């Protein structure tokens, strides 16, 4: 067999991809060919220096999942409910209601300011696609994302679009569903961790007489997904005000299984312990954690809770 | 495919996002591990991971159970890897090619220094950097075959299925990859 062909088999030999006949032929050739022996040696050195692949850390996986969730949410036509057992699907109707309300309010304010402050036809104006006359001097409207459609001024006109937002002042009862909707949006969508923390603090107040499923869903989402430890911890505390149903139980078990912060896992065990820790699913997870958790104290706590449950 | 997984897929196809989540969780650690091995960069790996599952989410309604779900998913992983424009790879190509040109050599000429520090840890780190740089100089196909075989332990036959090409082609990629690595890393061995 030709030298070149046999040479191509060398990496296959190193990676154990030759059948017995091929191996025999190549080994016979290697006994006679110093060049190929040298090549085999170098391929084996490559195998050695290339090393072995490590597994991704839990933190990296968690980060990737979080970014995926955000990425999927921004897909065209994407439903809001990805990771629906994290209960963010409920946000759709409430978000729509809140958004429509805010838009109507903003449009009303804008139209009002035009009607009462600036006579129509006075000064330059811009026509929005829906025909609302917007003032050039926008008062407290914040303008952004200006995009030119036609920047050619040869005919004396210019055409562009922009986004106008106006701050909306809300004062109302924490038991008002509209207020709760906005707070849950702030908790799950707020970019600023301080805002999310304040939102979760408000949602965990004793004044909340009839916390609904939407609030619970937002707290569960924050508990599982928020990147800020303080927000997750406060969400866990707030959830303890809710009946310990399967949703709450699953959220706590999720924390126990997935949260990389040991303090959160300990808080989850404590929350479970004070509730329904004899639940078979809870016991199964705790029994697993008492052997597998990387944190010695968590293994100890899990074992203690399991023993306590067995004794009762 | 076990019944449980089939049910999950059917539910996810109907729009049950928790079923989709469960599917993601079953495979995503493996996908991320492959992405990390292939890109040698955590940020790039997260990009690959995200692109894979966005494509899966988009294409899942069209999945017809004609192959195993894991095979279908890994074909998507392979396609994403092959088409992914790595930030790190671009930097490596640019910097190494620039270095070679500065030295009056043709672009792609072996940029690996033969000087290695004596300290064992520094040596190991430097070798890793050389290996990473050398891998970055391979074509996406060569690099993927090497990654799948060397780092993830796939047999060449399996790689051929995932890459939708003949086993002989995969063997050629592996041969070319090891040849190029051998040439580029020779100064490290010496």
């Amino acid at each position: 067999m030709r030298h070149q062909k046999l040479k191509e088999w060398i990496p296959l030999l190193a990676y154990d991809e030759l059948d017995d006949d091929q191996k025999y032929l190549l080994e016979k050739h290697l006994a006679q060919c110093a060049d190929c022996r040298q090549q085999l040696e170098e391929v084996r050195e490559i195998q050695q220096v290339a090393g072995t692949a490590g597994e991704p850390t839990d933190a990296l996986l968690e980060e990737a999942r979080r970014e995926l969730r955000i990425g999927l949410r921004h897909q065209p036509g994407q439903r809001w409910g990805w990771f629906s057992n994290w209960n963010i699907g409920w946000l759709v109707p409430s978000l729509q209601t809140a958004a429509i309300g805010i838009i109507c309010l903003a449009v009303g304010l804008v139209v009002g300011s035009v009607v009462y402050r600036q006579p129509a036809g006075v000064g330059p104006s811009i026509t929005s696609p829906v025909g609302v006359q917007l003032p050039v001097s926008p008062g407290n409207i914040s303008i952004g994302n200006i995009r030119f459609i036609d920047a050619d001024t040869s005919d004396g006109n210019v055409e562009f679009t922009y986004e106008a937002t106006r701050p909306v002042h809300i004062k109302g009862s924490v038991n008002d569903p509209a207020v709760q909707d906005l707070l849950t949006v702030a908790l799950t969508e707020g970019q600023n961790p301080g805002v999310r923390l304040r939102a979760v603090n408000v949602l965990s107040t004793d004044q909340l007489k009839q916390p609904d499923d939407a609030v619970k869903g937002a707290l569960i989402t924050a508990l599982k997904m928020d990147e800020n430890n303080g927000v997750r911890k406060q969400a866990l505390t707030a959830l303890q005000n809710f009946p310990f149903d399967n949703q709450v139980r699953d959220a706590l078990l999720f924390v126990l299984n997935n949260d990389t912060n040991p303090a959160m896992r300990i808080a989850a065990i404590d929350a479970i312990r004070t509730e329904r820790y004899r639940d078979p699913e809870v016991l199964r997870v705790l029994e697993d954690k008492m052997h597998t958790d990387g944190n010695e104290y968590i293994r100890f706590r899990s074992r203690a809770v399991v023993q306590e449950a067995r004794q009762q | 495919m076990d019944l449980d997984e089939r049910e999950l897929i059917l539910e996810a196809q109907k729009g049950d996002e928790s079923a989709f989540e469960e599917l993601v969780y079953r495979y995503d650690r493996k996908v991320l591990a492959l992405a990390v091995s292939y890109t040698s960069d955590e940020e790039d790996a997260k990009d690959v991971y995200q692109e894979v599952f966005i494509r899966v989410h988009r294409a899942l309604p069209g999945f017809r159970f004609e192959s195993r779900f894991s095979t279908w998913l890994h074909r998507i992983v392979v396609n994403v890897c092959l088409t992914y424009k790595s930030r790190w790879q671009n930097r490596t190509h640019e910097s190494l090619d620039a270095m070679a040109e500065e030295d009056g050599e043709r672009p792609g000429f072996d940029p690996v220094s033969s000087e290695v520090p004596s300290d064992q840890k520094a040596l190991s780190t430097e070798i890793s950097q050389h290996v990473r740089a050398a891998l970055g100089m391979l074509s996406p196909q060569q690099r993927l075959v090497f990654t799948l075989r060397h780092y993830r332990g796939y047999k060449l036959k399996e790689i051929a299925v995932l890459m939708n090409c003949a086993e002989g082609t995969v063997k050629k990629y592996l041969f070319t990859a090891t040849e190029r690595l051998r040439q580029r890393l020779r100064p490290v061995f010496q």
Side-chain angles (χ1 to χ4, degrees):
Chain A
M1 186 168 279
R2 283 169 46 211
H3 171 82
Q4 182 56 33
K5 184 71 192 167
L6 290 163
K7 196 176 166 178
E8 289 177 11
W9 284 0
I10 289 172
L12 303 180
L13 178 68
Y15 281 103
D16 196 23
E17 291 278 357
L18 291 180
D19 63 34
D20 289 344
D21 291 345
Q22 291 170 323
K23 209 184 279 183
Y24 170 76
L25 281 173
L26 181 57
E27 281 169 354
K28 204 169 136 190
H29 174 73
L30 285 169
Q32 300 159 350
C33 180
D35 181 39
C36 286
R37 279 202 303 277
Q38 169 71 15
Q39 188 184 333
L40 178 61
E41 198 180 312
E42 287 180 359
V43 170
R44 288 195 165 134
E45 277 183 290
I46 288 169
Q47 288 180 305
Q48 210 172 349
V49 295
T52 52
E55 290 303 308
T57 61
D58 287 346
L60 182 68
L61 185 64
E62 198 178 312
E63 211 176 308
R65 286 174 176 173
R66 188 174 292 135
E67 288 176 12
L68 173 62
R69 174 177 163 261
I70 294 165
L72 280 170
R73 193 184 302 156
H74 290 102
Q75 286 299 294
Q78 169 59 30
R79 293 177 297 269
W80 278 74
W82 198 66
F83 288 124
S84 64
N85 73 338
W86 299 355
N87 293 297
I88 57 174
W90 56 270
L91 280 175
V92 179
S94 49
L95 257 182
Q96 285 174 344
T97 309
I100 290 167
I102 289 167
I103 290 165
C104 289
L105 187 60
V107 169
L109 288 168
V110 169
V111 170
S113 70
V114 171
V115 170
Y116 292 108
R117 284 192 208 159
Q118 189 175 345
V122 176
S125 66
I126 301 167
T127 305
S128 80
V130 290
V132 177
Q133 297 296 310
L134 300 175
V136 166
S137 181
N140 61 349
I141 293 175
S142 158
I143 302 243
N145 201 18
I146 296 176
R147 289 184 183 177
F148 282 91
I149 297 166
D150 179 8
D152 179 5
T153 55
S154 57
D155 62 353
N157 291 319
V158 66
E159 186 180 0
F160 57 90
T161 63
Y162 67 86
E163 289 171 7
T165 55
R166 178 190 285 271
V168 178
H169 182 118
I170 301 266
K171 184 177 179 183
S173 162
V174 287
N175 290 301
D176 183 331
V179 171
Q180 287 183 11
D181 278 352
L182 289 168
L183 288 169
T184 54
V185 171
L187 174 57
T188 53
E189 301 299 316
Q191 297 291 314
N192 184 325
V195 170
R196 299 199 303 275
L197 193 56
R198 278 193 286 279
V200 72
N201 279 334
V202 172
L203 287 173
S204 52
T205 176
D206 295 341
Q207 299 290 321
L208 207 61
K209 288 173 189 155
Q210 290 178 317
D212 63 10
D213 282 350
V215 173
K216 183 168 75 174
L219 291 169
I220 288 174
T221 301
L223 173 64
K224 291 175 168 180
M225 299 296 296
D226 202 288
E227 60 194 19
N228 183 287
N229 289 333
V231 175
R232 294 204 307 280
K233 178 72 176 63
Q234 191 58 34
L236 193 150
T237 306
L239 271 176
Q240 290 177 266
N241 295 331
F242 286 77
F244 191 84
D245 59 13
N246 287 351
Q247 267 187 313
V248 175
R249 178 200 67 184
D250 291 347
L252 293 171
L253 294 182
F254 179 93
V255 172
L256 195 49
N257 278 321
N258 297 290
D259 203 300
T260 51
N261 185 330
M264 285 300 299
R265 301 204 297 279
I266 292 166
I269 293 176
D270 288 344
I272 287 167
R273 184 177 171 275
T274 55
E275 298 291 346
R276 216 174 56 186
Y277 58 93
R278 275 172 290 172
D279 180 303
E281 181 59 17
V282 170
L283 274 177
R284 191 188 64 73
V285 174
L286 286 172
E287 280 167 358
D288 179 55
K289 298 307 283 181
M290 69 191 214
H291 297 296
T292 59
D293 199 283
N295 183 294
E296 193 181 346
Y297 181 69
I298 291 171
R299 293 199 300 274
F300 169 78
R301 289 287 297 145
S302 303
R303 183 171 291 110
V305 175
V306 168
Q307 282 169 355
E308 200 177 315
R310 281 176 185 154
Q311 281 163 8
Q312 290 194 2
Chain B
M1 184 181 306
D2 55 74
L3 191 59
D4 185 23
E5 181 167 284
R6 191 182 173 87
E7 281 168 4
L8 267 181
I9 295 166
L10 288 170
E11 287 306 308
Q13 287 178 325
K14 283 184 217 156
D16 179 344
E17 302 293 337
S18 64
F20 181 72
E21 173 204 343
E22 176 63 30
L23 273 177
V24 171
Y25 277 13
R26 284 191 179 196
Y27 293 99
D28 69 343
R29 185 177 285 277
K30 209 171 167 187
V31 169
L32 188 60
L34 172 56
V36 169
S37 302
Y38 178 73
T39 62
S40 311
D41 181 277
E42 290 192 347
E43 289 303 312
D44 279 342
K46 282 193 294 177
D47 286 350
V48 168
Y49 169 98
Q50 179 164 144
E51 180 61 24
V52 165
F53 285 111
I54 283 176
R55 285 196 197 181
V56 169
H57 190 260
R58 215 180 285 151
L60 193 63
F63 179 68
R64 295 284 170 263
F65 299 93
E66 285 161 6
S67 64
R68 289 162 59 104
F69 177 77
S70 60
T71 307
W72 181 77
L73 168 67
H74 282 90
R75 277 193 173 138
I76 292 177
V77 178
V78 162
N79 285 332
V80 171
C81 285
L82 290 177
T83 52
Y84 181 68
K85 203 80 180 161
S86 160
R87 282 172 270 175
W88 176 81
Q89 247 182 336
N90 286 343
R91 284 202 302 274
T92 309
H93 276 296
E94 283 162 17
S95 59
L96 295 181
D97 287 352
M99 279 164 60
E101 278 169 350
E102 277 171 21
D103 291 343
E105 302 288 355
R106 62 185 165 79
F109 181 76
D110 181 10
V112 177
S113 164
S114 58
E115 288 178 15
V116 286
S118 56
D119 177 74
Q120 195 57 40
K121 195 176 170 188
L123 179 68
S124 160
T125 308
E126 185 163 336
I127 289 175
S128 300
Q129 284 169 354
H130 284 308
V131 171
R132 182 175 145 149
L135 284 170
M137 302 299 284
L138 300 179
S139 74
Q141 287 83 357
Q142 293 160 3
R143 185 173 188 171
L144 186 62
V145 168
F146 185 82
T147 302
L148 288 168
R149 184 64 192 91
H150 180 85
Y151 291 115
R152 308 313 314 173
Y154 284 82
K155 300 300 282 181
L156 296 184
K157 204 174 284 181
E158 296 171 306
I159 298 172
V161 172
L162 295 180
M163 291 180 73
N164 199 22
C165 63
E167 195 181 338
T169 310
V170 174
K171 286 178 179 172
K172 279 214 180 336
Y173 285 137
L174 182 66
F175 172 72
T176 321
T178 50
E179 273 300 279
R180 295 186 73 181
L181 290 174
R182 206 162 64 84
Q183 284 159 16
R184 293 184 191 287
L185 293 171
R186 191 170 287 148
V188 179
F189 303 150
Q190 288 167 355

